[in-house]
Amino acid sequence: MLIDNNIAVAIPDILLPKEGTDLKKWAVIACDQYTSEPDYWNKIEAEVGDAPSTLRIVLPEVYLPREDEEGIKTRLNNIASTIDNYMSQGVWQAPKEGFIVLDRATSLHPSRKGLMIAVDLEQYSYEPGNKEKIRATEGTVLDRIPPRVRIRANAKVEAPHIMLLIDDPTDSVIGMAWNEMASSGEAPCYDTELMGGSGSIKGYFIPSSSPVCQKITSAFTALLKNSADGMLFAVGDGNHSLASAKAHWDNIKKNLSEDQKQNHPARFALAEVVNIHDKGLDFEPIHRVVFNVSPEEFVKKAEEYFKDNGISVSSSPAEGQSFIVTGDTADSYITLSNPPHSLAVGSVQGFIDKMGYEVDYIHGEDSVRKLASGNNTGILLPDVSKDSFFATISAEGVFPRKTFSMGEAFEKRFYFEAKRID
């Protein structure tokens, strides 16, 4: 693994499935999607069957609240043994040192390009206000880290759904790499349709010895030089996975010498980098569903909580900070003329936390409306602007937790590439 500490980037040894693998069954969507929709995961289970698949080396979070400790422990043991079996049976090809530049197509966007790299966890922090090169963009829910650390502690391989953002208006990194490889005459290292109507993905491998590889690292260096405060990467998706990788590394390095720490594979996390200016990248709000609370009760409690914040409730939008409360009856618009937080999601989350409501964080309006029935309440939140995204992180630290999502649920990153971490 080649390392450039100046830009917190390493050129990883990437594991890809061997030729002949059914790639559609191999690639599975991020584990933190469809967490309140077990039917989705049941369909994926049925489609994968006995075929080699990343489904067998990740823990879909839909199971965390639905199984007891013994059930989760069994799943974790199965993940570790599956990784061992895949390695011994040659399910992965020999590791290749280099980057992968890729293009994702969905029904909503014909193209969203990315670049697979490894990043240095020593130069990442999720603490608000830090000035590392790699920064979290929203609050981290600390109790979501231990289950993922348990997976990494027993696994020899990681398959990430982490997506990092760069602020690259001229597309000097990813666009350049894609154009170079697409015109090179090289064959793609993969090209496949994805499950669940999630589009398709195509990738080109860029060897570490390639001139394109050097161009990529040089372009990263130039971006960092132009950064206002030393930030190169902002975590777009997979913040808790990256935080878990950091926690795992912090545990491991306690027993390593200084020399061992420099090159240990667990120090570097595999991730996809996406340009925030990519036209195929939409920023979507992450909505909320509150369980066992009717919309009528939610609105009543909100009126009490926000009584000093200029609250009004109406059947149509009004001027001010607002969000929608939805359920079996007509939508209600809650507007705050003097909100307690600069973002609607911050105001709402403060209220939910204060009330101690059981809540899930949902991608996509359709899913919210499906779940917000009976005695459940849906909260639909406004969009977050990506034009001021990096400036906001630099100025304010992190957004409130679960503020935004990049695209709809089915557009999320699929597990595909892997890397050893032992």
Side-chain angles (χ1 to χ4, degrees), residues 26-45:
W26 172 260
V28 174
I29 204 164
C31 67
D32 59 351
Q33 299 305 300
Y34 303 104
T35 54
S36 293
E37 300 178 55
D39 286 349
Y40 174 90
W41 291 101
N42 290 337
K43 290 176 183 177
I44 298 303
E45 282 278 355

Side-chain angles (χ1 to χ4, degrees), residues 227-343:
S227 170
D229 66 345
M231 176 171 56
L232 181 55
F233 302 108
V235 183
D237 270 343
N239 180 58
H240 291 92
S241 290
L242 195 60
S244 300
K246 171 79 167 179
H248 177 60
W249 166 240
D250 286 343
N251 289 335
I252 284 180
K253 71 181 183 181
K254 296 173 185 176
N255 300 315
L256 299 178
S257 68
E258 289 303 315
D259 286 343
Q260 290 173 323
K261 291 177 185 177
Q262 300 306 310
N263 300 314
H264 197 285
R267 174 174 171 168
F268 303 92
L270 200 61
E272 178 184 346
V273 179
V274 177
N275 185 1
I276 197 170
H277 300 286
D278 192 306
K279 293 180 179 178
L281 179 66
D282 284 338
F283 270 38
E284 304 286 344
I286 298 181
H287 307 296
R288 273 72 170 149
V289 171
V290 172
F291 297 99
N292 303 312
V293 178
S294 69
E296 294 79 10
E297 182 182 352
F298 185 92
V299 170
K300 180 180 178 181
K301 293 294 185 181
E303 288 177 316
E304 296 174 8
Y305 180 85
F306 294 115
K307 65 181 184 297
D308 297 326
N309 302 112
I311 185 171
S312 64
V313 181
S314 60
S315 59
S316 60
E319 187 173 345
Q321 185 185 97
S322 66
F323 54 92
I324 298 172
V325 176
T326 187
D328 287 334
T329 56
D331 291 352
S332 296
Y333 290 80
I334 293 183
T335 302
L336 306 174
S337 62
N338 180 32
H341 194 280
S342 60
L343 297 174

Side-chain angles (χ1 to χ4, degrees), residues 376-392:
N376 298 332
T377 297
I379 299 101
L380 298 172
L381 293 158
D383 293 340
V384 175
S385 171
K386 68 179 184 178
D387 292 333
S388 58
F389 190 85
F390 272 72
T392 301

Side-chain angles (χ1 to χ4, degrees), residues 114-126:
L115 182 72
M116 294 302 300
I117 68 171
V119 292
D120 184 3
L121 294 169
E122 286 289 316
Q123 301 186 63
Y124 154 75
S125 176
Y126 57 79

Side-chain angles (χ1 to χ4, degrees), residues 126-370:
Y126 57 79
E127 296 296 333
N130 79 85
K131 297 300 179 182
E132 297 289 356
K133 295 184 179 73
I134 311 161
R135 300 180 201 170
T137 51
E138 58 184 7
T140 302
V141 184
L142 296 180
D143 62 6
R144 296 186 64 191
I145 295 176
R148 301 187 188 198
V149 174
R150 290 172 67 188
I151 295 174
R152 297 182 77 87
N154 295 315
K156 297 177 180 177
V157 165
E158 66 170 354
H161 68 262
I162 299 161
M163 291 178 65
L164 304 177
L165 301 174
I166 53 173
D167 187 8
D168 186 13
T170 64
D171 212 8
S172 64
V173 181
I174 301 169
M176 175 277 298
W178 177 265
N179 292 337
E180 291 269 0
M181 296 307 299
S183 62
S184 68
E186 295 289 333
C189 58
Y190 55 71
D191 189 354
T192 184
E193 185 181 351
L194 298 171
M195 285 189 284
S198 294
S200 61
I201 191 168
K202 180 179 182 178
Y204 290 97
F205 181 73
I206 306 172
S208 59
S209 58
S210 165
V212 180
C213 201
Q214 179 59 50
K215 288 182 180 180
I216 290 170
T217 56
S218 296
F220 276 137
T221 300
L223 283 184
L224 181 59
K225 184 179 292 186
N226 291 327
S227 170
D229 66 345
M231 176 171 56
L232 181 55
F233 302 108
V235 183
D237 270 343
N239 180 58
H240 291 92
S241 290
L242 195 60
S244 300
K246 171 79 167 179
H248 177 60
W249 166 240
D250 286 343
N251 289 335
I252 284 180
K253 71 181 183 181
K254 296 173 185 176
N255 300 315
L256 299 178
S257 68
E258 289 303 315
D259 286 343
Q260 290 173 323
K261 291 177 185 177
Q262 300 306 310
N263 300 314
H264 197 285
R267 174 174 171 168
F268 303 92
L270 200 61
E272 178 184 346
V273 179
V274 177
N275 185 1
I276 197 170
H277 300 286
D278 192 306
K279 293 180 179 178
L281 179 66
D282 284 338
F283 270 38
E284 304 286 344
I286 298 181
H287 307 296
R288 273 72 170 149
V289 171
V290 172
F291 297 99
N292 303 312
V293 178
S294 69
E296 294 79 10
E297 182 182 352
F298 185 92
V299 170
K300 180 180 178 181
K301 293 294 185 181
E303 288 177 316
E304 296 174 8
Y305 180 85
F306 294 115
K307 65 181 184 297
D308 297 326
N309 302 112
I311 185 171
S312 64
V313 181
S314 60
S315 59
S316 60
E319 187 173 345
Q321 185 185 97
S322 66
F323 54 92
I324 298 172
V325 176
T326 187
D328 287 334
T329 56
D331 291 352
S332 296
Y333 290 80
I334 293 183
T335 302
L336 306 174
S337 62
N338 180 32
H341 194 280
S342 60
L343 297 174
V345 63
S347 299
V348 169
Q349 193 62 48
F351 169 53
I352 289 173
D353 290 344
K354 178 68 174 180
M355 299 303 296
Y357 289 144
E358 179 187 355
V359 62
D360 198 2
Y361 303 93
I362 305 298
H363 303 275
E365 180 176 339
D366 290 345
S367 293
V368 173
R369 293 189 180 278
K370 178 181 176 182

